[in-house]
Amino acid sequence: MAQHIAQKLRLTSAVLGTVTRKDLAAAFRGVNAKTAFDLGRADKWLQGRAQPREQSVYDDWAKVLRLEQPGAWIAESDLPSFAAAIAARHGIGVAELERRAHAQSAASPGHDDRGIGLALAGTYAWYTSAWSPYYRGQLIRGRLAIEAGPGAHAFNAIYRETSPTGQLQFSGPVTPTKRSLYLHLKEVGGEAQSFLCLFPHTQPVSVLGGYMVGTAIFAPEAQPSLTRILLVRLRDAPAAEQWGPLPPGISIAADLASLGIVMEHPEAVDRQLGQFLSADGDGGVNQIPPSEFRAILDVFDRHWLRHAG
């Protein structure tokens, strides 16, 4: 089944340096004069409202990118695998490929009305304070994946955590707005729900932060709960990592390093993130000063861009 077609076309455009849809169509005609890739349908494909049904389009696509994989692989592959394959084939890093896609979107907004969504899609390490009284004072580290879906502004999130009773999984829609980023996650096969209200995301989307509200799953009584949350974007998604409660007193910087994010000043990062996650409300109101999150954003954005490519 074909998936992530709009994002894959945008990455293709970025690696080829094709600025307009006409340029992209010309690249397809260059490998097959009778290609089924045409401008009219390409508009819908790039907007996520449709996807190519002819196998020949995917076969031509493989030739355009000079890939060893067949056209069927392009249709069915997940987005990280596709990005890694074309980046390697054309001798650039995945981060550089994403940077080109973002720059192309900024230079020509009409070419990609979901460019910021492409930046939002990815895998994140999730850090919050534990709600359960059995893990009081400990951090929960989970795994959150955000993927773009069909439609102009459709995104979906999947959260995974290893609990004492097995695997927990939540999923739900992601709603970007000008003033916030909202996630409404529901437990798969259960009744638990969580609602996240985060600061608006900005490129390169190295970190997200805000509040999470819900009810502790492992607790003797139901208690409405609120905690701050940080989501750090990972360059590579660990395949067999354990996600759940972290040992008391663990260094967040060290934990991030185990996931491939090695910060230059780990002690300072630990202090900054520890203070952010443990801060309480003031006067009965819980609000995060924008400057407080902006300071974290500055550290992680600089790190992400410094290690691009």
Side-chain angles (χ1 to χ4, degrees):
M1 181 179 294
Q3 58 177 341
H4 311 302
I5 297 305
Q7 299 96 313
K8 290 174 181 176
L9 281 173
R10 286 190 287 272
L11 289 173
T12 298
S13 184
V15 80
L16 297 177
T18 55
V19 178
T20 67
R21 289 174 173 79
K22 290 183 179 180
D23 294 335
L24 188 59
F28 275 76
R29 288 197 302 273
V31 299
N32 180 4
K34 297 182 179 180
T35 184
F37 187 103
D38 65 75
L39 285 175
R41 288 186 292 179
D43 281 338
K44 294 182 179 180
W45 298 340
L46 281 160
Q47 293 169 11
R49 294 189 290 119
Q51 56 190 27
R53 295 185 178 181
E54 299 89 343
Q55 179 60 40
S56 64
V57 172
Y58 300 105
D59 294 336
D60 292 342
W61 198 342
K63 295 176 183 176
V64 166
L65 289 171
R66 306 195 304 277
L67 292 177
E68 296 180 358
Q69 293 91 335
W73 179 87
I74 291 180
E76 298 170 0
S77 61
D78 59 54
L79 196 57
S81 298
F82 177 79
I86 67 174
R89 182 66 181 85
H90 292 267
I92 62 174
V94 173
E96 171 61 16
L97 176 60
E98 293 178 345
R99 187 198 65 77
R100 292 183 186 182
H102 303 335
Q104 192 177 75
S105 174
S108 180
H111 177 68
D112 180 7
D113 56 3
R114 298 179 69 197
I116 188 63
L118 179 60
L120 181 62
T123 302
Y124 298 81
W126 158 306
Y127 294 98
T128 59
S129 296
W131 283 341
S132 171
Y134 308 124
Y135 295 98
R136 186 69 71 224
Q138 294 179 234
L139 291 176
I140 299 295
R141 188 246 295 191
R143 170 175 173 165
L144 183 77
I146 297 179
E147 297 182 348
H153 301 284
F155 301 92
N156 189 67
I158 299 176
Y159 172 78
R160 291 185 175 88
E161 176 188 325
T162 304
S163 77
T165 58
Q167 293 292 321
L168 286 176
Q169 181 170 321
F170 290 71
S171 66
V174 180
T175 306
T177 70
K178 291 182 179 180
R179 296 181 63 85
S180 188
L181 177 67
Y182 301 107
L183 286 76
H184 186 188
L185 305 177
K186 298 182 179 180
E187 183 184 6
V188 176
E191 298 181 347
Q193 299 186 36
S194 293
F195 182 77
L196 278 64
C197 179
L198 310 176
F199 282 99
H201 57 295
T202 58
Q203 294 191 39
V205 196
S206 64
V207 63
L208 300 169
Y211 282 115
M212 178 177 72
V213 63
T215 303
I217 296 177
F218 300 104
E221 296 179 318
Q223 288 182 293
S225 305
L226 173 74
T227 187
R228 290 191 180 193
I229 182 170
L230 278 173
L231 304 169
V232 180
R233 187 180 177 194
L234 304 177
R235 294 188 182 277
D236 300 298
E241 191 69 40
Q242 291 296 313
W243 307 88
L246 294 173
I250 190 171
S251 160
I252 300 178
D255 189 65
L256 285 172
S258 73
L259 299 175
I261 304 297
V262 181
M263 305 302 293
E264 282 74 13
H265 304 287
E267 296 84 1
V269 169
D270 276 337
R271 287 194 300 271
Q272 187 177 35
L273 301 191
Q275 291 172 0
F276 178 88
L277 290 172
S278 62
D280 293 324
D282 180 27
V285 177
N286 285 282
Q287 291 180 321
I288 302 173
S291 59
E292 188 177 345
F293 178 68
R294 194 181 306 117
I296 294 176
L297 189 66
D298 182 70
V299 170
F300 281 88
D301 276 0
R302 289 179 184 275
H303 178 274
W304 185 272
L305 295 171
R306 190 180 302 120
H307 294 275

